[in-house]
Amino acid sequence: MTTRIDTDAYLERIGYSGPRAATIETLRALHRAHMLAVPFENLDIHLGRKIVLDEARIIAKIVGARRGGYCYEVNGAFGAVLRTLGFSVTFLSAGVRRDDGSFGPAFDHMLLRVDLDEPWLADVSTFLEPIRLASGNQNDSRNAFRLDTDGDYTVLMQRGRDDVWSARFRFTLDAWELSDFAAMNAYQQTSPDSHFTRTRICTLPTPDGRVSITDDRLVFTRNGQRQEYVLADNAAFSDALRVHFDIVLPER
């Protein structure tokens, strides 16, 4: 059953009031607005609250509770809203690059293919704006990316410091449904080997950088300059979430 989405409420949540026609200009604007408004966060895992990949529940969390989520949630919700607005959207499965240079399994990460006059990649946990599903260097107005081919996979490369390129994740162009990510969603929130069970994360791009909480550290990056603060206790953590992310966590 298709979830009925209150598009007005969702667009108000991300602070978007522009055109809604299914064009690349609209996609770029929606993507950027979403990235600057909805944090990437895994806080429910550390509250012991189960994350279920159900469109209605995800959208209620992001809109009603004014929360964020991790890739399955934020990209799942964004894809649903895009479809409601008339965009052609496909869920893609990716494996994230590990520290040893290998890649995680299928469904380790979710991103979106959006077909307009040409195909685009949208990912509101990675890009500030969508990038073309095409070879060649490109950028999202902040970072430089390129897509390499490795057998059946497309590899997303990102340029870092000193112009060094490194892989972020690899994916295929097979189309999937939200439910296909359920098993890896369960793994990510329960396995001791999952990065998400070991580290508490909340991060959001800002117009001039980024603000992040990682465990007990609050980090601001502004125009390339980094400032880091220690959050001394749970009260300081809760205050930082409220002030910098507009998040008030539910009681356990």
Side-chain angles (χ1 to χ4, degrees):
M1 183 176 66
T2 302
T3 302
R4 183 171 180 176
I5 297 171
D6 185 341
T7 308
D8 290 341
Y10 203 101
L11 298 185
E12 182 180 0
R13 165 71 176 95
I14 66 173
Y16 181 80
S17 58
R20 301 187 184 188
T23 66
I24 182 54
E25 292 78 16
T26 300
L27 178 61
R28 282 197 185 102
L30 287 168
H31 199 290
R32 186 181 184 91
H34 199 288
M35 278 290 285
L36 293 172
V38 180
F40 180 88
E41 51 107 333
N42 67 342
L43 302 175
D44 276 352
I45 294 172
H46 297 270
L47 290 170
R49 296 166 65 92
K50 186 176 181 180
I51 297 170
V52 179
L53 296 189
D54 172 82
E55 276 187 5
R57 290 179 64 162
I58 293 170
I59 290 171
K61 177 179 176 179
I62 291 174
V63 178
R66 300 192 65 80
R67 290 281 306 281
Y70 61 178
C71 69
Y72 311 125
E73 298 173 280
V74 292
N75 282 324
F78 189 56
V81 171
L82 289 178
R83 285 174 173 170
T84 300
L85 293 173
F87 288 88
S88 174
V89 179
T90 302
F91 293 128
L92 302 181
S93 158
V96 177
R97 182 185 180 275
R98 300 181 175 119
D99 291 340
D100 64 4
S102 65
F103 289 90
F107 306 107
D108 198 18
H109 177 64
M110 174 198 285
L111 67 157
L112 310 174
R113 172 176 173 159
V114 183
D115 284 293
L116 294 163
D117 292 340
E118 59 182 319
W120 292 79
L121 290 177
D123 184 344
V124 288
S125 63
T126 303
F127 312 131
L128 190 61
E129 296 177 1
I131 65 171
R132 286 181 172 86
L133 182 51
S135 60
N137 294 0
Q138 48 190 310
N139 65 72
D140 66 350
S141 79
R142 183 170 293 183
N143 296 300
F145 300 94
R146 74 168 192 254
L147 297 177
D148 290 352
T149 300
D150 181 12
D152 294 332
Y153 293 99
T154 300
V155 182
L156 177 78
M157 306 292 293
Q158 182 172 346
R159 187 171 64 198
R161 293 179 180 176
D162 301 319
D163 288 334
V164 175
W165 291 87
S166 58
R168 291 288 303 270
F169 52 74
R170 68 179 186 179
F171 60 96
T172 69
L173 299 181
D174 297 323
W176 303 99
E177 299 297 329
L178 186 61
S179 59
D180 293 317
F181 294 81
M184 277 303 294
N185 173 57
Y187 168 86
Q188 300 286 21
Q189 60 188 300
T190 59
S191 172
D193 295 326
S194 167
H195 174 67
F196 294 110
T197 62
R198 293 178 307 204
T199 305
R200 189 168 53 173
I201 302 165
C202 188
T203 182
L204 188 70
T206 63
D208 60 359
R210 180 174 288 273
V211 56
S212 301
I213 294 175
T214 303
D215 288 330
D216 64 347
R217 304 282 169 167
L218 173 64
V219 178
F220 298 96
T221 305
R222 299 186 180 98
N223 300 315
Q225 301 299 310
R226 176 185 170 96
Q227 294 178 300
E228 182 174 314
Y229 304 91
V230 175
L231 300 172
D233 51 29
N234 284 334
F237 179 84
S238 296
D239 285 346
L241 283 179
R242 177 180 52 80
V243 171
H244 301 293
F245 301 94
D246 194 27
I247 289 178
V248 177
L249 291 177
E251 298 293 331
R252 288 180 180 267

